[in-house]
Amino acid sequence: MKVRIKFRKYGVMKFIGHLDVMRYFQKALRRAEVDISFTGGFSPHPIMSFAAPLGVGLTSDGEYLDIEVNSTDSSEVMVKRLNDVMVEGMEIVSYRQLPDKMKSAMSQVAAADYQLFFREGYEPADWSAWENAWNAFLAQPSLVVWKKTKKSEQEVDIRPMVYRIGLENHVITMRIATGSVHNLKPEFLMEAFYRYAGMEWKPFIFQVHRVDTYMEEEGAFVSMETAETFIEN
């Protein structure tokens, strides 16, 4: 049986990198006595797949982990069992069955919603000028930036990877491409804006929060949680 787990990452756990999160969940699943399936061969490991790695320092309400299990209790029971072994900063939101033919979370993810909050001391001195520059930046038909690769540096238009963006009460919201095919980090977009506006860019201007992660179905983005079905007693 395929199962999709939705979880939150917050507090001090935002400083834990993706590889450590993978190792953490391997241990947590074992402590919660989840009957997870293992690969074959000489070095078997749990069958699990994360939707999209979360950058160090980011918090999230919408992270997803797919696993395969041999047997399971109900969704309600499994959420409690897992949360009983979670540390502060990790919370299981849902545990639901996936259709047998459903692709893995990693191959499905296509977009994500983010909120960006100014850290204390990094707010613009002149909000009016900042917002005018912001609106001018977004009004451009293309957002061409230099993006470094492993071997070179090339011009990339990131405009097609920005699906929605807004500013309300000094909080920036955006839906951007996320995944293995197209991927845009919120910090990369904001750095492009600051350089366009001639303002000094510092990596820790914003606290970034991922709201949810999406897959694409029939030309529309839907939450990765919608593919799940509650497991009854």
Side-chain angles (χ1 to χ4, degrees), residues 124-136 193 197 199:
D126 186 339
W127 270 107
S128 179
W130 192 97
E131 290 187 20
N132 287 338
W134 176 248
N135 292 331
F193 161 61
M199 296 183 290

Side-chain angles (χ1 to χ4, degrees), residues 195-207:
R195 297 194 185 284
Y196 163 84
M199 296 183 290
E200 182 183 6
W201 168 253
K202 295 180 180 179
F204 304 109
I205 291 176
F206 298 97
Q207 171 60 55

